[in-house]
Amino acid sequence: MTDKELTDPHAGAKDIADHIGPDATLLIVDDDGPFLRRLARAMETRGFAVDTAESVAEGVAKSKTNPPKYAVVDLRLGDGTGLDVIEAIRQRRDDTHIVVLTGYGNIATAVTAVKLGALDYLAKPADADDVYAALTQRPGEKAEVPENPMSADRVRWEHIQRVYEMCERNVSETARRLNMHRRTLQRILAKRAPK
């Protein structure tokens, strides 16, 4: 803590409130329960009034009844796509700062999310600091270049995982689409993700 925060414990809270603004409503939509709860707690400690949803249907319903000023939406949910939640938010409110999270690095969906009004696009696992920075980014500000960007091996692994998921975890179909031998693909899938 800084000397200022020690003498005035509410100084940090005031700075955070000024950065977030008077409307601190935040909707987090993610079907990964433990991640959702951790992120919700972390965002509450940063000054947000957090509401959560674990499905597209729940996210759309909450967006319609109480459209938030801030939203963090997972792209792939058990009952559909987070793009539907983004559309529901945009129909009710056009000033919402939306950040899309996904475990699948996919340029096409990133472009679609941005066209629908997402402010930023973060790959999972994103930490609370990254999410907070993306949510509070001012218009025209550029995101900092990550110190440790994904390696080429990691990008390749992410692409293989995305195609594997699109093929509903069918190894033979994935190998065919990637023009790869089935056994080679099985060895890649059995390994941990590269850094």
Side-chain angles (χ1 to χ4, degrees):
M1 288 188 118
T2 65
D3 291 337
K4 183 179 178 184
E5 289 172 318
L6 288 171
T7 56
D8 181 4
H10 301 291
K14 184 182 182 309
D15 290 344
I16 288 173
D18 289 345
H19 205 64
I20 294 173
D23 185 353
T25 55
L26 168 64
L27 175 64
I28 304 175
V29 184
D30 199 306
D31 58 357
D32 179 351
F35 173 79
L36 176 66
R37 288 185 289 280
R38 273 193 322 271
L39 184 59
R41 279 193 307 272
M43 292 296 108
E44 282 174 349
T45 63
R46 286 165 172 79
F48 288 99
V50 180
D51 194 5
T52 60
E54 293 193 40
S55 66
V56 171
E58 190 180 358
V60 168
K62 288 186 176 188
S63 298
K64 288 181 177 178
T65 57
N66 187 21
K69 173 67 176 172
Y70 298 92
V72 177
V73 181
D74 190 4
L75 199 56
R76 287 183 67 139
L77 297 160
D79 63 337
T81 174
L83 296 175
D84 295 336
V85 178
I86 295 171
E87 283 185 286
I89 292 169
R90 284 292 175 233
Q91 287 173 0
R92 300 274 191 260
R93 190 168 184 171
D94 61 358
D95 67 336
T96 301
H97 293 231
I98 302 171
V99 173
V100 174
L101 295 178
T102 185
Y104 309 92
N106 184 340
I107 299 300
T109 49
V111 169
T112 304
V114 170
K115 282 182 179 177
L116 286 173
L119 183 69
D120 208 342
Y121 186 91
L122 299 173
K124 276 181 157 180
D127 67 15
D129 291 333
D130 294 336
V131 174
Y132 178 80
L135 284 172
T136 58
Q137 179 178 314
R138 301 287 180 234
E141 278 185 357
K142 292 187 179 179
E144 290 183 25
V145 177
E147 285 186 35
N148 299 319
M150 259 195 263
S151 67
D153 289 337
R154 177 62 187 230
V155 172
R156 178 178 181 254
W157 185 86
E158 291 275 344
H159 176 67
I160 290 169
Q161 291 295 320
R162 184 180 57 81
V163 175
Y164 182 54
E165 290 294 326
M166 285 172 39
C167 294
E168 297 177 353
R169 296 178 171 260
N170 181 319
V171 174
S172 298
E173 178 63 17
T174 304
R176 186 187 68 73
R177 287 187 183 206
L178 292 171
N179 197 22
M180 181 183 287
H181 195 277
R182 189 174 184 278
R183 287 191 188 138
T184 303
L185 176 61
Q186 284 176 314
R187 281 194 299 273
I188 291 169
L189 294 172
K191 292 181 183 176
R192 287 179 167 253
K195 294 190 178 199

